[in-house]
Amino acid sequence: MTTQHPPAVIPDRLFDDAPAEARWRARFRAPRLSTPDWAIDAPNANIYVSNASGVWEVYAWNRATGEHRQVTDRPNGTLSAVTSRDGAWIWWFDDTDGDEFGSWVREPFTGGAAERAVPDVHDGYPAGLEIGHRLVAVGVSTDDGSELFVHRDGQTTSFYASKDDASVAALSRDERLLAVSHSEHGDSRHPAARVLTADGFATVAEKWDGPGKGLTPLGFSPIAGDSRLLLLHERHGREEPLIWDVESDTETELRLDLPGEVYAGWYPKADALLVVHFHQGRSSLHSYDLATGNLSSLDTPPGRIGGAGVRDDGTVEYSWSSAAEPSVIRARTPEGTDRVLLTPPGEPAPGSVPVSDAFVEGAGGRIHALVSRPSGAPDGPLPTVFTLHGGPHSADEDRFSAYRAVWLDAGFAVVEVNYRGSTGYGSAWRDAIEGRPGLTELADVAAIHDWAVRSRLSDAARCVVAGASWGGYLTLLALGTQPARWAAGVAGVPVADYVAAYEDEMEQLRAFDRALFGGSPEEKPAVYRECSPITYVDAVQAPVLVLAGDNDPRCPIRQIENYLDRLAHRDAPYRFYRYDAGHGSLVIEETIRQTAAEVWFAMRAVGLGVSQTTA
């Protein structure tokens, strides 16, 4: 770092009101957990991730005994884990301080020392893992591209290598067939699928739907000898399920009468699919009978389904939350009985307020935003934070968010924009940012901002733009290209200097950027320059807070320092929060510190009352 940048202020408290101060912190500290995942041949052997220890870690749950055991205990937490099919082992990904670069390790389900799972596979970024009884298929990505391996009988074989992005996608139940997702055609955002024999690696079948139409393998049938592979395709302008019998090379498109997009998984007997439907910021669960074509709603309330699976007896287990209600893990029997399955220890998170919908016509079509007003807020324009989601291929949802709630507690209205590039609105909406990323999304943000001011939701002089990852990138780009709109900006782990970011980021993201921009910075220099926040740094007027992790492989620290060094030579006020982790933190108290810094910074910028602070 060539310049000493002014540090962010970490307040002792955000609110003088003690109950309000306790409430916002309690939402972050409340224990949460993910939907359990179980071993396919040992359904009593379950794993999940939870923040119960204060750090997101992996836990084991033995349903036969009722025992819950914390598996991992690392300073910066652990999220990626899977069980072996026989339930004997837990595999988890071991990186260094959140840098996402490392190797898979395994330990007995009942506890014991962890060991490197496949010693002959070099370190890298994870690119798929499938664990069978007789073999393991594992993918690794490095700066040289992607390499895929099979480990069998103590021997490790590299069966695929490419400079393009690729991953292990699925292993058939009888372990004869192995599906690979690849981008040999040069577009990792719209992958193709190949199925190989697991013994000898001969190609069984290939499928690519052509430019701009991705194929995503989801999983083989859970029945041994059944060569049907479930995929998502985009042939009709949105993601929909497809069943491909790879040995007969026949396929069946499943046209579901649902708006929006879907994700699907097999029922244990392969006679039905569990469908997660996503539309306009909300998701729901359905069962699709493959014999009759009947689609049945499982009658979940409006909100977000965070994960779902089907047990051998047909019980569907899922997580659910809404903007007003914290997440809960539930189980729904085939008879329709719905109950709470798991409750984490400790006090539940205090609730928040619901969201409403706004639909605004923009240059590229109708834009959807989720809008929240502080409880008891007066009529008339409010200070407003426009939070921009990461991805970019993601979406804001009607889900519980401690982050959204603290902004509301501070007196801000919150507007979450599902700009072009977001998922759930069809392939054309998602892909509309190709060739001009960042600036395309911000045209939609501007349209929503105009609506919010025009409708007297937002005070034009007190609007804040905030986001992390891609949302942080959009925040910095907005401050430079729309300086008159914003009173302040909060950019977490952003892309700030796109050319430098491309040089330092993980190869999987370089491949993504080439597909998004139409080439590398050498091939498309004008586009990278036009779409990079550092190009507009001299136009920034509003105060800005930037947060970044030292070990971030997605939005590396050097390119953020480049931007801040330029900002330091101007009069624009700014602050910098630097932490020892990667692309975000899994440590709850660290998350609280960062959130306090963000909200305090924005409150000061728009003149909301703030408490005494400490640096």
Side-chain angles (χ1 to χ4, degrees), residues 499 502-503 510 514 518-526 528:
V499 173
Y502 181 91
E503 292 169 352
R510 283 201 290 265
R514 290 192 295 271
S520 68
E522 292 76 17
E523 296 165 318
K524 298 287 183 177
Y528 279 85

Side-chain angles (χ1 to χ4, degrees), residues 534-552:
I534 201 169
T535 301
Y536 309 97
V537 67
D538 290 339
V540 174
Q541 300 173 8
V544 55
L545 170 65
V546 177
L547 305 92
D550 278 325
N551 309 312
D552 191 344

Side-chain angles (χ1 to χ4, degrees), residues 241-289:
L242 164 73
I243 294 179
W244 178 27
D245 189 325
V246 298
E247 290 190 317
S248 66
D249 200 18
T250 58
E251 62 175 48
T252 304
E253 293 182 15
L254 306 180
R255 304 300 301 272
L256 306 183
D257 186 19
L258 294 169
E261 296 178 350
V262 301
Y263 182 88
W266 295 97
Y267 268 70
K269 295 180 182 179
D271 56 351
L273 299 179
L274 179 65
V275 176
V276 182
H277 168 231
F278 180 72
H279 181 55
Q280 295 181 351
R282 294 169 182 87
S283 45
S284 56
L285 285 175
H286 303 260
S287 175
Y288 181 80
D289 188 298

Side-chain angles (χ1 to χ4, degrees), residues 294-374:
N294 184 49
L295 182 71
S296 303
S297 171
L298 299 187
D299 297 326
T300 52
R304 177 182 188 260
I305 304 298
V310 189
R311 301 283 290 177
D312 286 347
D313 65 357
T315 296
V316 175
E317 297 180 353
Y318 65 98
S319 67
W320 175 90
S321 76
S322 70
E325 298 179 62
S327 62
V328 61
I329 308 300
R330 305 192 66 88
R332 183 182 181 85
T333 67
E335 295 75 31
T337 301
D338 200 297
R339 63 181 175 86
V340 175
L341 175 68
L342 280 179
T343 302
E347 291 296 318
S352 187
V353 302
V355 296
S356 60
D357 299 285
F359 297 95
V360 176
E361 291 302 320
R366 192 174 71 159
I367 310 156
H368 178 218
L370 298 172
V371 179
S372 309
R373 289 179 61 92

Side-chain angles (χ1 to χ4, degrees), residues 94-173:
D94 184 22
D95 66 349
T96 303
D97 292 332
D99 66 359
E100 303 180 47
F101 191 92
S103 65
W104 289 97
V105 300
R106 68 173 192 170
E107 63 179 78
F109 183 86
T110 54
E115 62 184 25
R116 191 176 179 108
V118 188
D120 296 331
V121 173
H122 58 80
D123 286 358
Y125 300 106
L129 174 69
E130 290 288 325
I131 306 171
H133 290 286
R134 301 187 306 274
L135 63 87
V136 171
V138 59
V140 177
S141 174
T142 66
D143 286 346
D144 296 325
S146 304
E147 190 170 9
L148 311 182
F149 302 84
V150 159
H151 182 77
R152 180 194 290 112
D153 299 327
Q155 300 294 318
T156 301
T157 303
S158 173
F159 71 89
Y160 180 95
S162 174
K163 63 179 179 57
D164 297 303
D165 197 33
S167 64
V168 171
L171 178 66
S172 67
R173 186 71 169 89

